[in-house]
Amino acid sequence: MTARLLRTALRAVVPAPLISALLFVGWLMLAQSASPGNLLLAGLFALSIPWVSERFRPERPRLKAWGTIVRLGLVVLRDILVSNVDVARRVLGPERAIRSRFVWVPLAIRDPHGIVALAGIITMTPGTLSSELSEDRRFLLVHALHCDDEAALVADIKARYEAPLVEIFE
């Protein structure tokens, strides 16, 4: 009984512990300093931002498959590194090395948090950008800096990012 009461009290002060932790670390990384003033500011942001924004989050994500989260994170990090080199090579090379296009990616994922995560991953990966979600949330419009084959791009996004996100969120 006391453990439940303690958890409830802690949730009132820190409604989103993971977001608070990320804000704390993110602020220190942006400030590039762990001085007492920055530690205080990081703590203030980590506690106040989730508390103020809690009412704007109607539902919390239910994360499953923690191993898949780690594997997906590693895949995304690798893709960001490889894509940086590829984009630099294409941008600095001849213009004919770029074949940009918009591609509609059909979505199997239905969880709104998973859709946001997918759009964010696509946007973070250099050379691609998620630009629109259809009204029915069944298609995501992706701009690719270089795309020879739409079907291959769609299959790659679905296999590398969407399938793990379905496992994580649904």
Side-chain angles (χ1 to χ4, degrees):
M1 181 67 172
T2 58
R4 184 182 306 173
L5 188 59
L6 183 61
R7 270 195 308 269
T8 304
L10 187 60
R11 279 277 182 209
V13 176
V14 186
L18 181 60
I19 292 173
S20 292
L22 291 172
L23 284 167
F24 186 85
V25 171
W27 177 260
L28 293 177
M29 289 174 66
L30 285 171
Q32 296 181 355
S33 169
S35 68
N38 276 316
L39 288 170
L40 184 64
L41 260 172
L44 180 68
F45 290 148
L47 292 175
S48 63
I49 290 173
W51 188 74
V52 170
S53 64
E54 178 67 14
R55 63 184 148 181
F56 300 116
R57 292 182 356 156
E59 60 183 66
R60 293 180 181 273
R62 288 169 180 58
L63 301 178
K64 305 169 191 130
W66 289 95
T68 304
I69 293 171
V70 171
R71 283 192 303 278
L72 177 60
L74 293 173
V75 167
V76 171
L77 284 175
R78 180 199 169 278
D79 288 353
I80 288 172
L81 293 172
V82 170
S83 295
N84 267 308
V85 172
D86 184 56
V87 167
R89 188 177 53 82
R90 289 184 191 285
V91 169
L92 298 173
E95 194 171 322
R96 67 181 176 277
I98 298 175
R99 291 188 195 98
S100 64
R101 67 171 65 172
F102 284 94
V103 178
W104 283 102
V105 177
L107 299 177
I109 193 164
R110 295 290 168 245
D111 183 271
H113 299 97
I115 293 171
V116 168
L118 178 63
I121 289 169
I122 290 169
T123 298
M124 282 189 305
T125 307
T128 56
L129 176 71
S130 55
S131 60
E132 185 177 348
L133 180 64
S134 65
E135 260 188 65
D136 61 1
R137 296 182 179 177
R138 295 188 182 271
F139 294 91
L140 183 64
L141 184 61
V142 173
H143 179 267
L145 179 68
H146 182 79
C147 179
D148 286 325
D149 182 3
E150 285 186 32
L153 177 67
V154 168
D156 197 39
I157 288 171
K158 292 182 84 49
R160 294 181 73 74
Y161 308 134
E162 186 185 32
L165 288 170
V166 167
E167 191 178 328
I168 292 166
F169 286 101
E170 296 181 355

